[in-house]
Amino acid sequence: MVDRNASNEIVDALDAVLNCPRDVIELAVMTVAAGGHLLLEDIPGVGKTTLARAMAKVMAGTVHRVQFTPDMLPSDLTGVSIYDRRSENFVFRPGPLFANIVIADEVNRANPKTQSAMLEAMAERQVSADGETHVLPDPFFVVATQNPIELEGTFPLPEAQLDRFMTCTSIGYPQEQAEVRTIAGTGQDDPLESLRQICSLDDMVRLRGQASQVHVSEDVARYIVAIVNATRVDGEIRFGASPRAALALAAMARAHALMRNRDFVIADDVRTLVVPVLAHRLVLVNAHGDGGDERRRDILDEVVNDIPVPRITERLHAMSASDGSTKLRTAETSDALT
C-alpha cells in the first residue's frame, strides 16, 4: 500500500540519476499526484525527454512515446477503425493515446488540427473516433515537451490546450559541474537503466486519492480566489486565469502539502506553485516571445506580494492531532507564514 512518502521516494529516485533541478522533479511528481498533465517548455537538448522517460520508468503501467511532426494526423493519436474481413465489421485500433503515461515529444511541432485532437483526451480522459467514444486508461498522464515557439518548424499551442496542462516549467541549462559529469560519463551505461519501478497503477490511483483529501480551509480558498481574480483585473493581461486554473492551483497545493507530510494546505503551498500553475495560462495585452513569458512571471510575483497571507486557525492545526505530530506541523505552518 502506498504511503504519504511515496511521492518523495519517486523524487529521490529521479534526482539520483537526472541532471536537472530537484524542484522541477518535485513539480512533475506533484502534477501526477494532483491528477494533471505537465508541459516542459525549453530549448532542445536540456533533458526534457529524459525526464519524461525517467518518470515513466518509475511508475507502472503502459507507456507510449509520440514524436510530433507537422504531417501528423489526429487519427495518428486517437486511432482508427479498420475493416475486418473475417468478422465483416469495422474494428477500432487504439492509437498511442491509449496508455497510462503518454510522452508527447515536441508537441508544438504538430499542426493545430492535430494538437486539438489532444484536448478531449486531456480534459475528459476519453477520445471520440468514427462517432464512438472510447475511455482512456486510468490513471492517464500526459507529459509533453515543446521547444520555444520562435524556432522554425513549430506551431504555438492554442490557449485552450495550454489551459489543459496543470503545470508548465522549464529545466534550463545544467550547472557546470553537472554538465562536466555528464560529458565525462558519455559512453557508459544509460543512467536510466538503474531506475526501478516504485509505484503500481493502484498505488498511483491511491496517491491521487490521498492528495485530493488534503484539507483546504475557507481562508486558504479565499486566498487562491484572490490571486486568480487579481489576474483578471490586471491592465496588462487580456485574459486572466480561468476557474479551471483556480482548481488546478488548489489541487497542486494539496499535492505539495502531502509531499510535506501535512494533511492541510497552508498559504506557502499556494505561493510556491502560483507561477508554474498560472503563468502559461495568462494572455498578455502585449506579448513578445520570451519577454512575454518573463513578464507573466513578474506580474504573478507582484500579485502574490500584494495579497495578504491568511492566518491559519487553531482548528486547522487540531485536525492533525490524530497522528501525534500536531506540534511539528504547527511549527512548520508558523515558519511558513512568518
Side-chain angles (χ1 to χ4, degrees), residues 62-104:
T62 55
V63 180
H64 289 165
R65 177 182 177 276
V66 183
Q67 179 64 54
F68 283 73
T69 59
D71 61 348
M72 180 177 288
L73 300 174
S75 59
D76 294 331
L77 294 176
T78 60
V80 295
S81 294
I82 299 176
Y83 183 74
D84 187 343
R85 290 187 296 178
R86 288 178 296 181
S87 64
E88 297 184 349
N89 288 313
F90 283 93
V91 179
F92 179 70
R93 299 293 176 85
L97 286 181
F98 285 81
N100 297 113
I101 301 175
V102 176
I103 302 174

Side-chain angles (χ1 to χ4, degrees), residues 13-24:
L14 295 175
D15 190 38
V17 300
L18 297 175
N19 287 327
C20 68
R22 184 180 176 90
D23 59 345
V24 173

Side-chain angles (χ1 to χ4, degrees), residues 245-296:
L247 292 173
L249 184 55
M252 286 296 294
R254 288 185 172 99
H256 188 271
L258 184 68
M259 185 172 285
R260 268 54 179 181
N261 201 30
R262 277 186 277 104
D263 56 9
F264 58 88
V265 173
I266 61 176
D268 193 52
D269 297 318
V270 179
R271 293 167 64 92
T272 301
L273 294 159
V274 165
V275 170
V277 174
L278 300 185
H280 64 287
R281 305 170 190 265
L282 305 182
V283 179
L284 300 184
V285 174
N286 296 307
H288 302 286
D290 289 339
D293 294 337
E294 184 177 353
R295 185 57 191 147
R296 279 190 285 266

